[in-house]
Amino acid sequence: MTNIGVSITGSGSAIPKLSLDNQQLSQIVETSDEWISSRTGITKRQLADTTESLCSLATQASLAALDQANITPKDIDLIILATSTPDDLFGTASQVQWELGAEKAVAFDMTAACSGFVFGLVTAAQFIRSGVYQNVLLIGADILSRWVDWEDRRTCVLFGDGAGAVVLQASESDRLLGFELRSNGSQNDCLNLPFQPQEKKIIEGVTVSQGTYQPIIMNGKEVYRFAVQKVPEVIEKALFKANISVDKIDWLLLHQANQRILDAVASRLNIPSEKVISNLQNYGNTSAASIPLALDEAVRKNQVKSGDIIAASGFGAGLTWGAVIFEWNGI
Ligand code: ACO
């Protein structure tokens, strides 16, 4: 049997309607545009309004990606929705499948926080390489505004909402060149969105936990330290597996958490700033959406071109982190 390769042939994104700038945030918590932009690079973020859902954003991003890849929803075999903020805890991917009219596609959610898109890309590729599926739609989408503590200035200034999607297709030559994925649960408490249990006695001797999930809790300094140390390492490992040197990379596409993290990782890898894709200024940290959203903007601006080699890396809660090296094969 000949080897089956993977190509990434289309991207799309969806940006929610509401906009909240740093100045407006300073009316909610004790902060300033100066503090937020100098520490993070973020000047505004887009937030889902009450009419928008994870499903609607994910569907919109998917339609744009399918259009760019020049395939229809009926061609999709598999939909993976990377998210930590589903509309339904049982999963939102099936709703997206139905909205798209992707009749033959099987669909499921995948959770790996801000690493979700990179983990999803590698997962999607396995289904193609094994010959099981030919056309896979991968979506990264999150609405973290639902779970942020809007009274906590240490976290609420960082996040935004959005969705991005890519189409992966079987191809003769393999454009997914190398990857490395990692997890470390021992640092889980650095960044989490834990279930907050409340005891509920349902009958004598039977007490269960009921409750909800909020808010996001983060040790910013620890997460910063972790990202700056682990992300360059994991990119180097993925480059080694791809058998290419760092100077062959056209673009460094990191999870858009903080401009200082982007700068520090690029500097450790000796990648010049012109090769670093950054759009966090306008969106903040959109979790699983941030990489496909930044990719789609760069593709549509004609920055990223067919044949370009991209080193993408996601990192965040879990803790999880990973890198994937691929050649962009869309428009
Ligand atoms: N406005 C004004 N002051 C603030 C704000 C704010 N929004 N937030 C914190 N401060 C204050 C703190 O209270 C502290 O004051 P103190 O010295 O009087 O106690 C001071 O600013 C410094 O706070 P630090 O937390 O030390 O600030 P730091 O320079 O570390 O920057 C930041 C904080 C931006 C959060 C940084 O640590 C960071 O980017 N960490 C990485 C976070 C991240 O990327 N998380 C997402 C990972 S992805 C995922 O999976 C969700």
Side-chain angles (χ1 to χ4, degrees):
M1 192 180 103
T2 53
N3 284 338
I4 303 166
V6 179
S7 273
I8 303 173
T9 57
S11 70
S13 56
I15 296 155
K17 291 183 196 139
L18 295 174
S19 185
L20 186 73
D21 66 22
N22 292 349
Q23 175 57 34
Q24 289 169 299
L25 262 175
S26 71
Q27 295 163 29
I28 307 167
V29 288
E30 200 183 324
T31 190
S32 63
D33 176 42
E34 204 283 322
W35 194 96
I36 303 169
S37 44
S38 65
R39 302 264 178 153
T40 70
I42 301 164
T43 59
K44 67 184 184 78
R45 66 287 295 140
Q46 298 295 124
L47 306 177
D49 75 9
T50 53
T51 66
E52 291 169 309
S53 63
L54 193 87
C55 180
S56 69
L57 294 174
T59 304
Q60 201 187 323
S62 300
L63 288 171
L66 292 169
D67 184 56
Q68 200 183 86
N70 206 17
I71 64 168
T72 72
K74 292 187 177 33
D75 297 319
I76 311 168
D77 302 302
L78 167 68
I79 298 172
I80 300 177
L81 172 59
T83 187
S84 306
T85 54
D87 295 331
D88 180 341
L89 267 186
F90 285 150
T92 297
S94 298
Q95 286 169 263
V96 176
Q97 178 254 0
W98 185 249
E99 284 293 322
L100 289 171
E103 289 158 17
K104 72 170 176 181
V106 62
F108 60 84
D109 290 24
M110 215 186 99
T111 303
C114 302
S115 307
F117 183 78
V118 167
F119 281 33
L121 202 60
V122 173
T123 305
Q126 308 316 309
F127 282 100
I128 293 176
R129 282 181 175 160
S130 62
V132 178
Y133 298 131
Q134 280 72 53
N135 299 314
V136 182
L137 173 66
L138 169 66
I139 310 156
D142 266 309
I143 303 184
L144 283 177
S145 62
R146 288 174 172 171
W147 302 108
V148 158
D149 178 353
W150 286 101
E151 289 173 4
D152 178 7
R153 67 178 184 173
R154 291 164 305 162
T155 50
C156 75
V157 303
L158 303 174
F159 299 104
D161 305 333
V166 293
V167 173
L168 292 94
Q169 295 189 273
S171 68
E172 273 177 25
S173 66
D174 200 357
R175 268 79 183 231
L176 200 144
L177 308 170
F179 69 86
E180 177 79 10
L181 307 178
R182 304 300 301 268
S183 300
N184 179 2
S186 74
Q187 282 187 289
N188 181 265
D189 60 355
C190 286
L191 177 54
N192 52 20
L193 178 41
F195 179 64
Q196 306 282 358
Q198 279 166 11
E199 286 188 5
K200 185 175 170 69
K201 188 162 127 191
I202 48 175
I203 194 171
E204 199 53 47
V206 182
T207 300
V208 295
S209 292
Q210 295 213 308
T212 184
Y213 289 86
Q214 60 181 339
I216 293 174
I217 300 163
M218 184 178 72
N219 179 336
K221 274 206 186 315
E222 274 305 313
V223 175
Y224 187 91
R225 237 179 260 133
F226 143 77
V228 169
Q229 188 199 345
K230 298 294 185 189
V231 173
E233 274 177 26
V234 86
I235 291 173
E236 276 171 350
K237 287 204 166 94
L239 283 169
F240 179 77
K241 286 183 174 171
N243 196 25
I244 57 174
S245 55
V246 72
D247 55 297
K248 296 284 184 298
I249 295 302
D250 294 296
W251 302 105
L252 180 65
L253 174 56
L254 301 183
H255 166 49
Q256 305 283 301
N258 182 323
Q259 188 61 42
R260 288 191 303 162
I261 295 178
L262 268 57
D263 295 343
V265 171
S267 142
R268 285 197 183 194
L269 291 168
N270 277 322
I271 295 178
S273 58
E274 312 85 75
K275 290 187 175 183
V276 180
I277 295 176
S278 171
N279 72 348
L280 60 88
Q281 183 182 8
N282 296 324
Y283 304 108
N285 176 348
T286 57
S287 194
S290 91
I291 293 176
L293 186 58
L295 173 67
D296 187 49
E297 275 200 358
V299 166
R300 286 173 199 271
K301 277 197 286 190
N302 210 21
Q303 225 181 338
V304 168
K305 298 185 184 66
S306 191
D308 282 358
I309 293 179
I310 300 175
S313 177
F315 51 92
L319 298 175
T320 54
W321 65 106
V324 55
I325 316 296
F326 64 92
E327 185 188 313
W328 170 251
N329 202 229
I331 51 167

